[in-house]
């Protein structure tokens, strides 16, 4: 049975709405103070199982931030340093004994200059002499790289605390005091001097100024946005030393060859350090550290391309002045150009792990196998007489090489 409601006219409806609006509500602001709750509601408590269920859900979904454990340093449990006595681990970490890539980068320009110098002596330097000189340079690179790391960490100990990758370095975390670090530096420099005096006097004279550049580099990160170029000056110094180490005087064509090789290595150092610096770019901005990456982060691949071209161009110039042959140009110059182009194209500079991978990759692919392999091949070609007097395609012959007469100890 249908229920019928009476029809209201528009006038009656508007009057009803007017009366409703005029009637004060119990929940209006002026009546809120008079509203009281029944006592039964005030005495009501939720059931215990409901409370426990709510607490359990809250604890599992939103853990309190105060209970997150802080980061603490843990000694290495695997790898090379895990086998060291506990008291010596901080010093092994300080010289980056577990990260040899920096030592390789310091050694490579010494290797390049030694191999190239071996092709310029008359007669050609014997292989045992080249290998012995290379071994001395490798030992010196290990020692001096450790000294450089100690000086760097000593001066940067307050900055390292604010960078996630470096905050657990031995000096920054307090495992080694600044005084002990300074004393350790002196020991390393004395050990480096013991290696240096094994070389001819001219090598010692040319090697000593590098200590000033190594010391100044950490300070440049506070003074300029281009400290990588100062690092390049320090890490490339070995490109000059291989020539006097084999008895060549740094003058005339030999000096021009050494200068081009040195400039090529400086450009290469800036390239690989740009990749390295991208690991810390965010922390560097917060800590106020200056670098070419902080200054030109959006354009670093363009800079790497230009510097890579400069490296290959100066490397080819060194070969042209020295009178190198096709092996050098095809393997050293061509290999360096191809591997650098590949790295610059492939590396994702926003990915920290990828930056570290290509930092290590560049040392082996570009420095050791491409440039180093080409120079070793060039040395063997000259030593075996492959080029003869006229060379191959007019390159590398004895008539075109910048020979210097030297007295080889090994005959």
């Amino acid at each position: 049975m249908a229920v019928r409601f009476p029809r209201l006219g528009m006038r009656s409806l508007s009057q009803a709405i007017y009366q409703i609006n005029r009637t004060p509500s119990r929940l209006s602001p002026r009546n809120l103070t008079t509203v009281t709750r029944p006592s039964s509601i005030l005495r009501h408590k939720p059931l215990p199982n409901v409370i426990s269920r709510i607490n359990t859900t809250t604890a599992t979904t939103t853990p309190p931030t105060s209970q997150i454990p802080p980061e603490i340093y843990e000694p290495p449990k695997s790898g090379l340093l895990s086998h060291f006595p506990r008291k010596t681990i901080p010093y092994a970490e300080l010289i980056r004994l577990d990260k040899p890539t920096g030592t390789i980068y310091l050694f490579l320009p010494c290797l390049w200059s030694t191999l190239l110098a071996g092709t310029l002596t008359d007669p050609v330097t014997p292989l045992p002499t080249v290998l012995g000189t290379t071994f001395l340079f490798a030992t010196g690179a290990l020692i001096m790289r450790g000294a450089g790391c100690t000086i760097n960490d000593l001066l940067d100990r307050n900055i390292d605390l604010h960078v996630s990758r470096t905050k657990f370095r031995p000096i920054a975390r307090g495992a080694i005091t600044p005084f002990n670090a300074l004393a350790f530096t002196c020991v390393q420099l004395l050990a480096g001097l013991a290696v240096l005096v094994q070389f001819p006097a001219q090598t010692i004279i040319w090697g000593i100024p590098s200590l000033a550049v190594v010391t100044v580099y950490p300070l440049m990160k506070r003074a300029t946005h281009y400290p990588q170029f100062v690092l390049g000056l320090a890490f490339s110094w070995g490109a000059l030393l291989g020539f006097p180490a084999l008895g060549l005087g740094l003058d005339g064509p030999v000096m021009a060859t050494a200068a081009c090789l040195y400039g090529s290595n400086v450009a290469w150092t800036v390239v690989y350090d740009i990749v390295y610096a991208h690991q810390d770019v965010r922390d560097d901005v917060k800590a106020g550290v200056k670098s070419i990456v902080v200054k030109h982060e959006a354009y670093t691949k363009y800079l790497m391309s230009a510097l890579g071209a400069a490296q290959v161009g100066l490397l080819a110039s060194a070969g042209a002045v020295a009178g190198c042959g096709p092996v050098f140009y095809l393997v050293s110059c061509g290999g360096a150009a191809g591997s650098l182009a590949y790295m610059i194209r492939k590396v994702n500079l926003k990915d920290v792990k990828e930056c570290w991978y290509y930092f290590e990759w560049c040392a082996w692919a570009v420095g050791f196998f491409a440039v180093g392999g080409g120079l070793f091949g060039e040395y063997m070609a000259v030593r075996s007489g492959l080029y003869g007097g006229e060379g191959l395609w007019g390159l590398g012959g004895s008539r075109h090489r910048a020979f210097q007469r030297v007295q080889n100890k090994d005959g």
Side-chain angles (χ1 to χ4, degrees):
M1 172 177 158
V3 179
R4 295 180 178 274
F5 292 93
R7 292 187 178 181
L8 297 176
M10 291 300 296
R11 183 175 180 181
S12 301
L13 183 61
S14 61
Q15 289 177 352
I17 294 173
Y18 176 77
Q19 290 297 328
I20 291 173
N21 290 336
R22 293 275 297 176
T23 305
S25 171
R26 289 183 65 199
L27 296 177
S28 62
R30 63 183 176 180
N31 291 329
L32 282 177
T33 56
T34 62
V35 176
T36 58
R37 297 181 180 179
S39 59
S40 60
I41 296 178
L42 295 176
R43 290 194 301 269
H44 175 73
K45 295 182 180 179
L47 294 175
N49 61 344
V50 177
I51 294 176
S52 61
R53 191 179 307 156
I54 293 174
N55 291 340
T56 305
T57 306
T58 305
T60 56
T61 55
T62 56
T65 56
S66 60
Q67 295 182 1
I68 298 176
E71 271 190 283
I72 58 173
Y73 167 80
E74 292 186 3
K77 298 178 181 177
S78 61
L80 176 65
L81 299 190
S82 63
H83 303 289
F84 277 61
R86 193 176 185 88
K87 290 184 178 180
T88 64
I89 289 178
Y91 291 94
E93 291 175 329
L94 185 61
I95 63 174
R96 317 288 197 270
L97 199 60
D98 57 331
K99 298 175 181 177
T101 307
T103 301
I104 295 170
Y105 274 122
L106 189 60
F107 164 68
L108 284 172
C110 304
L111 174 67
W112 299 355
S113 61
T114 303
L115 290 172
L116 186 53
T119 68
L120 299 180
T121 59
D122 184 19
V124 176
T125 305
L127 184 59
T129 302
V130 171
L131 294 177
T133 303
T134 301
F135 175 77
L136 280 176
F137 275 129
T139 305
L142 177 64
I143 295 171
M144 294 310 298
R145 190 259 180 149
C149 290
T150 306
I151 294 171
N152 181 80
D153 290 6
L154 187 60
L155 295 176
D156 284 354
R157 61 187 183 276
N158 295 325
I159 295 176
D160 286 344
L161 288 170
H162 304 287
V163 179
S164 58
R165 188 178 57 85
T166 62
K167 62 186 177 183
F168 288 134
R169 283 180 174 173
I171 302 177
R173 72 173 188 262
I176 299 176
T177 65
F179 177 81
N180 288 344
L182 186 60
F184 186 52
T185 303
C186 295
V187 172
Q188 292 175 93
L189 293 177
L190 289 174
L193 180 62
V195 175
L196 187 60
V197 297
Q198 306 302 313
F199 290 98
Q202 285 296 317
T203 310
I204 299 172
I205 293 171
W206 280 96
I208 289 175
S210 65
L211 296 176
V213 185
V214 171
T215 305
V216 165
Y217 163 67
L219 303 175
M220 292 296 102
K221 291 183 281 187
R222 300 162 175 81
T224 176
H225 281 288
Y226 305 98
Q228 281 83 3
F229 287 99
V230 182
L231 179 69
L233 297 176
F235 263 61
S236 305
W237 208 270
L240 303 173
L241 301 182
F243 299 94
L246 293 185
L248 295 174
L250 284 175
D251 52 32
V254 174
M255 185 64 200
T257 301
C260 290
L261 188 64
Y262 180 72
S264 174
N265 204 100
V266 171
W268 183 50
T269 303
V270 180
V271 170
Y272 66 69
D273 199 63
I274 284 176
V275 178
Y276 183 85
H278 266 280
Q279 298 177 105
D280 305 324
V281 62
R282 297 288 172 260
D283 291 328
D284 285 348
V285 171
K286 295 176 183 177
V289 177
K290 296 180 180 180
S291 77
I292 195 171
V293 175
V294 172
K295 182 71 173 178
H296 305 288
E297 184 181 0
Y299 307 100
T300 45
K301 283 211 172 185
Y302 298 105
L303 290 170
M304 290 168 67
S305 300
L307 290 163
Q311 179 202 351
V312 176
L314 287 167
L315 185 63
S317 299
V321 175
C324 290
V327 173
F328 169 78
Y329 290 108
L330 289 174
V331 181
S332 290
C333 298
S339 52
L340 277 173
Y342 173 82
M343 182 188 74
I344 293 171
R345 183 176 182 273
K346 293 290 289 184
V347 62
N348 178 11
L349 296 174
K350 303 293 184 183
D351 189 325
V352 172
K353 291 183 179 179
E354 199 163 315
C355 287
W356 178 255
Y357 169 80
Y358 278 103
F359 174 72
E360 293 184 309
W361 181 90
C362 187
W364 291 103
V366 181
F368 190 81
F369 290 110
V371 182
L375 283 168
F376 182 74
E378 181 73 11
Y379 168 78
M380 294 304 295
V382 173
R383 179 164 175 76
S384 64
L386 176 64
Y387 294 144
E390 297 298 330
L392 296 177
W393 307 306
L395 297 172
S398 58
R399 294 185 180 182
H400 308 290
R401 304 192 75 84
F403 282 125
Q404 268 193 27
R405 191 80 181 172
V406 297
Q407 186 68 35
N408 286 326
K409 296 179 181 179
D410 295 348

